Amino acid sequence: MTTLPLHSVNLSARVTTLLARTFPEYVPGVVHEGFRVESVDQQEPRRMFVRWHGGTPTRPVWTHGPALGREKYKAQILEVLTREGYAVTNVPGRMDVFVNDRPHDTSGPRFAVVANDVPVSAPWLVMDLWTRAHVATAGTEEEAAAEAMDAERHHTLTDARIVTAPDLYDFLDQADEVLGDGLVWLRREVRQDIEYTEPVRHERLDALVDVANALRRGEPVARDERLVAYETSAPTGTYAVHWVPESLAPAVGFFPGEGWEQGPEVHAAIGLLISAGLTPVRYGERIGGGSVMCEASGFMVSAADPLDRGVPGVHVDGIGSLMAVQTQGVPEALRAAGWEVTGDPGWTGAWAAYPPAE
């Protein structure tokens, strides 16, 4: 039976073979200056890092010249490992480069905010989930979250540079600034100002490369609150492309308009309809002009009078492509719970509903 080598042994061998093509390998007592792949842990899965041994110290912190000595080699090792597709972490304040294989599934966040259990250090850490090394410390959870987003943006920008041509690099930097924060993005197309396609979910890398290409083509890219938009041409005509980040705190089942009171009757109706298996509308980021991104179509519940909770009852509307499903399901679900429901004679897919008397 063949026994496979431990992951750390396999990874160490591959990284050593790669780096030895460019740098000398440090061998105690034999080769006095060079790199060496080492481990933090004593058991699998080990955290692996590359350290440069020997040589001149790094440049003084107060200088602004080119990287020297160990700092120079660290930068070059980072570049080689990144170019070859490894996950690498540049730990602040250390000359070590943590390294690991990239996961098979790279969707989702790479960096996480965790509480630090070391009392003499900062209370919050930003951890690289791929290498299990920390990349930043912070005094508050909010500061750590901002550091994590900065790390995500840098990671995505680095990946984009790997998969695109050099003539796109400057436009990638511009696109990153235009997009701002956000890991997951929704893309939709708008034709004739009224025909909206259903939003399609994308990773940040897709949005970054798409907007960079629009900038390279010379198409004006505009941002209004969290909406990033540009117009482009196709054989069928000109249409607009919208990119909006997916909200981390969407409004589910109701419209988050200012002054719209969401009383107990609204929340009760939303809960009943979700329990019946119906899909609620989901509103996300603000996109200018008082509008909010509709991330998913479904039913929407609002107070009978959004500005006065004293008026009894609610309005229920089917929004978007799921309206046909809601048309039958909404009145059935509410009536089964004892609500009085009447349809709007002037609009299919709209109802007034009143809860049963207590």
Side-chain angles (χ1 to χ4, degrees):
M1 184 177 72
T2 301
T3 301
L4 295 176
L6 296 174
H7 171 71
S8 62
V9 175
N10 182 290
L11 176 64
S12 176
R14 286 184 283 114
V15 170
T16 298
T17 300
L18 170 65
L19 294 179
R21 299 171 186 166
T22 308
F23 310 102
E25 180 183 358
Y26 170 72
V27 180
V30 180
V31 181
H32 302 289
E33 181 178 1
F35 76 90
R36 189 178 185 184
V37 182
E38 304 180 34
S39 171
V40 174
D41 311 296
Q42 300 302 315
Q43 60 185 14
E44 299 290 337
R46 298 186 180 192
R47 287 171 293 170
M48 308 299 294
F49 64 90
V50 181
R51 175 177 293 171
W52 189 268
H53 291 264
T56 57
T58 185
R59 68 185 181 190
V61 296
W62 59 84
T63 66
H64 300 284
L68 302 173
R70 297 171 195 158
E71 183 179 90
K72 176 185 68 175
Y73 291 117
K74 177 185 179 181
Q76 292 174 351
I77 289 169
L78 277 166
E79 181 181 355
V80 170
L81 292 173
T82 300
R83 187 173 61 244
E84 290 297 318
Y86 286 99
V88 294
T89 301
N90 183 7
V91 179
R94 295 181 59 171
M95 295 306 296
D96 304 326
V97 177
F98 280 79
V99 60
N100 200 359
D101 292 311
R102 293 170 68 101
H104 294 296
D105 182 3
T106 59
S107 62
R110 175 175 174 177
F111 300 92
V113 173
V114 298
N116 189 3
D117 56 5
V118 179
V120 296
S121 183
W124 294 95
L125 300 174
V126 178
M127 299 296 297
D128 185 338
L129 300 177
W130 292 5
T131 63
R132 294 175 294 132
H134 81 273
V135 298
T137 60
T140 66
E141 187 174 7
E142 292 74 18
E143 291 173 355
E147 291 278 1
M149 179 54 65
D150 287 344
E152 295 283 3
R153 289 176 59 173
H154 176 74
H155 154 64
T156 305
L157 192 56
T158 300
D159 273 5
R161 288 174 176 270
I162 292 173
V163 300
T164 58
D167 64 346
L168 194 64
Y169 289 176
D170 289 344
F171 299 107
L172 287 169
D173 291 335
Q174 295 175 40
D176 180 66
E177 291 298 321
V178 172
L179 290 171
D181 292 346
L183 293 183
V184 179
W185 287 73
L186 302 171
R187 183 185 188 275
R188 68 181 181 186
E189 296 177 2
V190 185
R191 301 176 188 276
Q192 300 179 352
D193 295 327
I194 56 172
E195 298 177 8
Y196 289 77
T197 61
E198 286 293 316
V200 179
R201 201 169 183 264
H202 290 265
E203 296 294 323
R204 180 182 180 86
L205 180 64
D206 297 332
L208 185 66
V209 173
D210 183 76
V211 173
N213 276 306
L215 290 167
R216 180 169 59 177
R217 293 192 299 267
E219 295 165 348
V221 176
R223 175 169 167 174
D224 193 349
E225 295 194 47
R226 292 316 318 270
L227 169 67
V228 175
Y230 64 87
E231 287 193 351
T232 192
S233 299
T236 56
T238 301
Y239 63 94
V241 174
H242 289 180
W243 286 101
V244 183
E246 188 174 70
S247 175
L248 298 178
V252 178
F254 63 92
F255 184 78
E258 294 182 8
W260 286 49
E261 297 289 346
Q262 307 300 332
E265 291 181 348
V266 170
H267 293 295
I270 292 172
L272 282 171
L273 295 173
I274 291 177
S275 297
L278 297 175
T279 302
V281 70
R282 191 173 71 240
Y283 288 108
E285 298 287 347
R286 299 192 176 277
I287 56 176
S291 298
V292 180
M293 178 65 178
C294 182
E295 297 184 350
S297 59
F299 70 80
M300 183 183 79
V301 182
S302 59
D305 186 340
L307 303 180
D308 185 357
R309 281 194 188 180
V311 177
V314 299
H315 288 298
V316 185
D317 296 275
I319 304 296
S321 61
L322 293 178
M323 183 180 295
V325 177
Q326 318 296 343
T327 300
Q328 180 177 352
V330 166
E332 289 180 355
L334 292 176
R335 285 172 182 149
W339 288 55
E340 178 185 344
V341 183
T342 58
D344 186 336
W347 186 260
T348 302
W351 305 267
Y354 304 89
E358 298 181 356

